[in-house]
């Protein structure tokens, strides 16, 4: 598969003004195929955000010592790049941050989304089309003239996503983009991510502390103390409950329940990750023991 | 004794083009001696309520009573209330500023005009409650981890020994173990000290696990104030308000549609495990 991002033997240490080094990433080897959807998990300080910031060139050699290479769209972003090349990388790899209030620049939604394309010197007619299309892509059509500060957190985040999409990126990194949202806002962003993923042309990397969100990805990468600790499908990762607990992480509630039932010797099937799977497994379990009797619903 | 809002309206930027009514005639009462969860969609006024409780904001109209006193009646009452109701903001670790963690925690008690011995006792108690050891107390707030900084900031408010402790998203941005750790400590603190703790959160799972009672804020004020069972009994209404129920509760409702019968609503993994074990062992047969 064609990789949009290839990380080889990457180590990174933050450098204090006095020269002291703080290691953040150690010997990372990871690649991200085009069109894939990966969730990156890890405890606070595990290096998740550092990794994202290096890919997106928010962190450079000015901020610390870099060993190894990060090849993004064929270019090593840890090397010397011209300003034009750097802008081009940041256009191709967009980022949506945690706080919706920190990434909206204009006083109306359409101006905000048009901000990037305008800077690229695009034709106004083309910009108009992009604004309309991008709002549609994030389910916010009709909000062109809205004032961003009047929108809810989830709506603001979707505007931020639309702004990134307007640059026609090949990859979007969501850095804890749902952390400050209410359940509905979170659901809206996850739905947007899911739709982008289904379109197939955008590579998605999400960094999150919510295990439920990671179950929707194709692949889960777990970082621990700056190193890759686990890498697999959500099924492969979340069924290793004890291993995740050992690095301060968790599993979805449904998985945890069946893990407990398994430990108690009551369940032997595969651990479910999703609500529906869990409900079906539970019904199956009770049926097998003759405890499920739809004709005798009242006990 | 309680915190009571009587017909409280709060308008941001009154008489400016940005005028925005955050609360409109809100009445509510929060019981003493419990952990109360405050949930509601973004923009429902949760953080505004928190700041009205400790007098940072003054109602545009209506009255906020704490233990029966109108906290905005005069300056003296306002100041007393400021120490009675402790408020921990979202991401409070960004507000640490002293040279050591210890000095930061001592800042509040010092402002209360307490003597040095009392300040020292309170700093040590508060540090103990949030799990900061002597070594981290002597460090600069910038040399400890993010999770520790969060705990230091919470300790700074706890050290004022407020009767009511309000925390706005105390676990936001922490990893799962960090979340559990801070919330478990708050629960232990509440149980040992009898302080009333009010937690604002978007995590239904955390609310279900740690709170005694929950207030749901809707668009038109308080939708419901009740036990977890009462609150999570109506997932459709919560959904309409932009909220949700814990994943385990969703699973329970789904299983019910497949013919599984539960004895009580389930909103934590532990309760679900306990009940399902009973069902499997047949102790439920009557």
């Amino acid at each position: 598969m064609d990789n949009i991002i290839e990380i080889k033997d990457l180590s990174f240490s933050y450098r204090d003004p006095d020269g002291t080094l703080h290691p953040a990433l150690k010997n990372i080897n990871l690649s991200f195929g085009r069109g894939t959807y990966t969730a990156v998990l890890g405890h606070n300080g595990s290096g998740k955000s550092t990794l994202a910031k290096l890919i997106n060139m928010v962190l450079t050699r000015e901020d610390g010592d870099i060993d190894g290479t990060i090849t993004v769209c064929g270019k090593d972003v840890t090397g010397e790049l011209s300003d034009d090349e750097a802008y081009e990388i940041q256009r191709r790899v967009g980022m949506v941050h945690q706080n919706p209030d920190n990434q909206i620049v204009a006083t109306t939604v359409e101006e905000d989304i048009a901000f990037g394309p305008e800077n690229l010197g695009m034709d106004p007619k083309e910009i108009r089309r992009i604004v309309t299309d991008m709002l549609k892509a994030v389910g916010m059509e009709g909000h062109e003239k809205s004032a961003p500060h009047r929108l809810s957190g989830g709506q603001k985040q979707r505007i931020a996503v639309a702004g990134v999409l307007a640059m026609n990126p090949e990859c979007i990194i969501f850095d804890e983009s749902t952390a400050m949202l209410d359940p509905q806002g979170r659901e809206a962003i996850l739905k947007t991510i899911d739709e982008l993923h289904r379109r197939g042309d955008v590579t998605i990397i999400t960094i999150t502390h919510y295990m439920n969100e990671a179950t929707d990805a194709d692949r889960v990468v777990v970082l621990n103390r700056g190193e890759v600790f686990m890498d697999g499908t959500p099924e492969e990762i979340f069924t290793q409950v004890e291993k995740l607990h050992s690095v301060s992480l968790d599993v979805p509630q449904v998985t945890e329940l069946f893990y407990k039932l398994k430990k108690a010797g009551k369940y032997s099937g595969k651990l479910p990750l999703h609500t529906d799977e869990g409900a079906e497994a539970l019904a199956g379990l009770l049926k097998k023991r003759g405890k499920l009797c739809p004709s005798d619903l009242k006990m | 004794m309680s915190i009571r809002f009587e017909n409280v309206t709060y308008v941001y930027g009154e008489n400016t083009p940005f005028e925005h009514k955050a609360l409109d005639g809100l009445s509510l009462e929060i019981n003493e001696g419990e952990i109360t969860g405050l949930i509601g969609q973004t923009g429902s006024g949760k953080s505004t309520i928190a700041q009205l409780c400790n007098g940072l904001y003054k109602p545009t109209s209506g009255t906020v009573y704490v233990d029966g006193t109108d906290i905005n009646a005069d300056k003296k009452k306002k100041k007393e209330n400021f120490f009675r109701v402790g408020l921990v903001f979202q991401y409070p670790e960004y507000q640490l500023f002293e040279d050591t963690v210890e000095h930061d925690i001592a800042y509040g008690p010092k402002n209360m005009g307490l003597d040095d011995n009392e300040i020292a006792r309170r700093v040590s108690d508060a540090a103990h409650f949030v799990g900061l050891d002597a070594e981290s107390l002597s460090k600069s707030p910038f040399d400890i981890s993010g999770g520790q900084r969060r705990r230091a900031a919470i300790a700074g408010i706890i050290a004022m020994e407020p009767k009511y402790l309000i925390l706005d998203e105390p676990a936001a941005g922490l990893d799962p173990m960090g979340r559990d750790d801070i919330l478990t400590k708050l629960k232990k603190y509440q149980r040992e000290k009898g302080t009333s703790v009010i937690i604002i959160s978007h995590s239904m799972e955390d609310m279900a696990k740690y709170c005694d009672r929950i207030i749901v804020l809707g668009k038109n004020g308080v939708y419901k104030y009740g036990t977890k069972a009462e609150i999570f009994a109506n997932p459709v209404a919560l959904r309409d308000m932009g909220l949700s129920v814990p994943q385990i509760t969703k699973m329970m409702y789904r299983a019910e549609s497949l013919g599984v019968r539960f004895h009580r609503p389930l909103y934590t993994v532990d309760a679900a495990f306990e009940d399902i074990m009973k069902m499997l062992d047949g102790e439920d047969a009557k």
Side-chain angles (χ1 to χ4, degrees), chain A residues 187-238:
Chain A
E187 213 170 278
I189 285 296
L190 292 175
K191 198 167 154 246
T192 303
I193 292 177
D194 191 52
E195 274 159 15
L196 286 175
H197 177 49
R198 256 187 253 185
R199 262 172 38 178
D201 48 352
V202 187
T203 307
I204 292 164
I205 301 173
T206 64
I207 294 172
T208 180
H209 278 317
Y210 294 96
M211 304 300 133
N212 292 352
E213 295 181 3
T215 58
D216 291 336
D218 308 324
R219 172 188 178 198
V220 177
V221 172
V222 180
L223 294 184
N224 180 44
R225 294 168 179 270
E227 293 178 275
V228 175
F229 182 67
M230 295 163 97
D231 186 351
T233 63
E235 286 72 22
E236 286 162 0
I237 302 299
F238 288 115

Side-chain angles (χ1 to χ4, degrees), chain B:
Chain B
M1 294 285 117
S2 63
I3 292 181
R4 190 158 60 85
F5 279 48
E6 207 175 84
N7 208 16
V8 171
T9 295
Y10 187 78
V11 181
Y12 283 96
E14 211 179 2
N15 302 321
T16 73
F18 302 105
E19 186 172 303
H20 170 63
K21 203 180 257 184
L23 297 175
D24 189 3
L26 177 79
S27 294
L28 65 80
E29 186 160 10
I30 301 171
N31 291 348
E32 194 185 4
E34 291 183 327
I35 300 192
T36 307
L38 184 54
I39 62 177
Q41 210 172 346
T42 312
S44 59
K46 302 184 297 294
S47 300
T48 308
I49 289 176
Q51 292 175 73
L52 282 162
C53 284
N54 93 327
L56 271 179
Y57 290 168
K58 194 175 169 222
T60 307
S61 67
T63 315
V64 176
Y65 296 98
V66 174
D67 294 346
T69 305
D70 172 0
I71 61 167
N72 295 297
D74 57 49
K75 270 196 172 157
K76 189 166 167 278
K77 292 205 169 71
K78 199 169 173 113
K79 197 176 171 195
E80 280 169 7
N81 184 69
F82 195 71
F83 298 126
R84 186 178 299 143
V85 180
L87 175 57
V88 179
F89 288 99
Q90 273 183 42
Y91 298 90
E93 58 274 26
Y94 294 122
Q95 295 163 34
L96 299 174
F97 62 96
E98 291 274 10
D99 56 344
T100 67
V101 171
E102 185 171 3
H103 290 159
D104 231 305
I105 300 175
Y107 182 79
K110 249 187 200 152
N111 273 342
M112 297 172 81
L114 301 171
D115 67 50
D116 287 354
N117 284 338
E118 179 63 10
I119 293 174
R121 181 193 68 77
R122 287 184 174 209
V123 169
S124 138
D125 272 9
H128 170 74
F129 260 115
V130 299
L132 286 172
D133 56 21
E135 199 199 328
S136 26
L137 281 180
S138 62
K139 284 187 177 168
S140 156
F142 301 103
D143 289 337
I144 56 177
S145 74
Q148 284 177 316
R149 273 205 290 277
R150 174 77 53 92
R151 285 187 272 164
I154 293 174
I157 303 295
I158 284 182
M160 304 207 296
E161 300 193 345
K163 193 173 161 200
Y164 297 91
L165 176 64
I166 307 179
L167 304 106
D168 197 348
E169 294 274 8
L174 299 181
D175 61 43
M177 293 300 152
R179 293 184 79 90
D180 273 343
D181 182 54
I182 202 84
L183 294 168
T184 304
K185 288 197 162 88
L186 283 171
K187 185 149 189 158
K188 188 164 168 270
Y189 172 77
Q190 193 280 326
R191 295 294 186 253
E192 279 178 28
K193 292 269 185 177
T195 309
S196 312
V197 175
I198 298 160
I199 299 175
I200 296 175
S201 172
H202 282 317
S203 165
M204 302 300 131
E205 282 80 8
D206 288 347
M207 290 277 131
K209 202 163 162 189
Y210 296 100
C211 296
D212 300 309
R213 229 175 269 267
I214 292 173
I215 296 177
V216 184
L217 279 181
K219 282 211 168 63
N220 307 307
V222 175
Y223 162 72
K224 205 168 201 168
Y225 177 37
T227 61
K228 289 176 277 196
E230 287 162 351
I231 299 297
F232 294 128
N234 196 342
V236 178
L238 286 175
R239 216 193 131 77
D240 288 347
M241 280 183 289
L243 300 172
S244 179
V245 296
Q247 194 200 21
I248 203 76
T249 310
K250 276 185 206 157
M251 190 205 76
M252 178 196 83
Y253 286 122
R254 180 82 187 100
E256 277 185 339
S257 74
L258 298 174
V260 179
R261 279 296 164 268
F262 298 94
H263 294 285
R264 53 173 181 168
L266 301 169
Y267 35 80
T268 64
V269 173
D270 286 344
F273 175 67
E274 199 180 296
D275 284 20
I276 292 166
M277 285 299 281
K278 276 186 202 158
M279 288 156 78
L280 288 170
D281 289 338
E283 286 165 29
D284 58 331
K286 283 186 187 142

